[in-house]
Every structure is written in C-alpha cells, then in structure tokens.
C-alpha cells in the first residue's frame, strides 16, 4: 500500500510539473489531520481498528470523488485529467479492499461484544 501511494504521489508531482502547476502539498489539510489526530487519541485497539478502517473508506471515497471530478472536467489540465483517469481504477480497487477490512473489523468486534 505504501509503495502504491508513493508511486501515485510521484506521478501526481510529475503531472503537476508537466502542467507548470505547484506540486501538491506534502501535509494533509486541517480536516484530514484532525481525523488522524482523533484516531490516534482513541482508547483501545478495538476503537483504533474501527476508526482506522472507517477512515480508509472515507478517504478513498473523497479521493474517488475528487478524481472523478477531474476526469469529467473538460476544462481540466490534460496532464491532471490523464493522471486522474489512470489512477481511478486503483482507487476503486483500494476502496473495495478498505471496505472488506472495515467489514471484517466490525464482524470481529460484533463477535467480541454481542448485543
């Protein structure tokens, strides 16, 4: 996962550079950083696992929406549009994997804590 994300980041930087755009920021925006900080401050492994899994699904949903917008935007800069088009299938695949992890964590937690 880390390798795939690093490679995508490098491709995005190359697309931005080719389009004479500023490179993407290295840090997360405030909203996403707060979500990470909230996750780090959770009590116990169970809460962390559930929160992390949910965060991954949400992050992939956000990314897919953003990339779909660029992909559909006829005025988008061609290098950025091409990057979005090329990356969308991987994002969709990663989202499906994140959903499986989320569902697996939920099932394990439900087993530990039946209602």
């Amino acid at each position: 996962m880390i390798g795939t994300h690093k490679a995508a980041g490098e491709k995005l930087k190359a697309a931005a550079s080719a389009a004479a755009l500023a490179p993407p920021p290295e840090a997360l925006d405030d909203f996403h950083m707060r979500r990470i900080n909230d996750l780090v401050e959770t009590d116990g492994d169970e809460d962390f696992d559930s929160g992390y899994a949910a965060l991954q699904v949400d992050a992939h949903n956000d990314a897919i929406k953003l990339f779909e917008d660029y992909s559909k935007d006829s005025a988008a800069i061609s290098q950025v549009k091409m990057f979005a088009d090329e990356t969308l299938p991987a994002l969709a695949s990663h989202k499906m994997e994140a959903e499986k992890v989320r569902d697996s964590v939920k099932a394990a937690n439900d087993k530990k804590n039946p209602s």
Side-chain angles (χ1 to χ4, degrees), residues 13-14 20 22 31 38 53 58 60 65 67 69 79 86 95 101:
K13 286 178 187 175
F31 171 76
D38 289 347
D58 290 350
H60 283 85
K65 169 78 171 97
F67 281 52
D69 289 349
Q79 293 91 337
E86 291 173 356
K95 177 189 169 193
V101 170

Side-chain angles (χ1 to χ4, degrees), residues 6 9 12 16-17 22-23 25 28 30 40 46 49 51-52 56-57 59 62 66 72 86 104-105 111 114-115:
K6 269 188 164 178
L12 177 56
S17 177
L28 293 174
D30 287 343
V40 170
E46 193 173 296
D49 291 348
Y52 179 82
Q56 289 304 304
V57 173
D62 290 349
L66 178 66
K72 293 174 186 172
E86 291 173 356
S104 171
V105 168
K111 211 176 205 183
S115 301

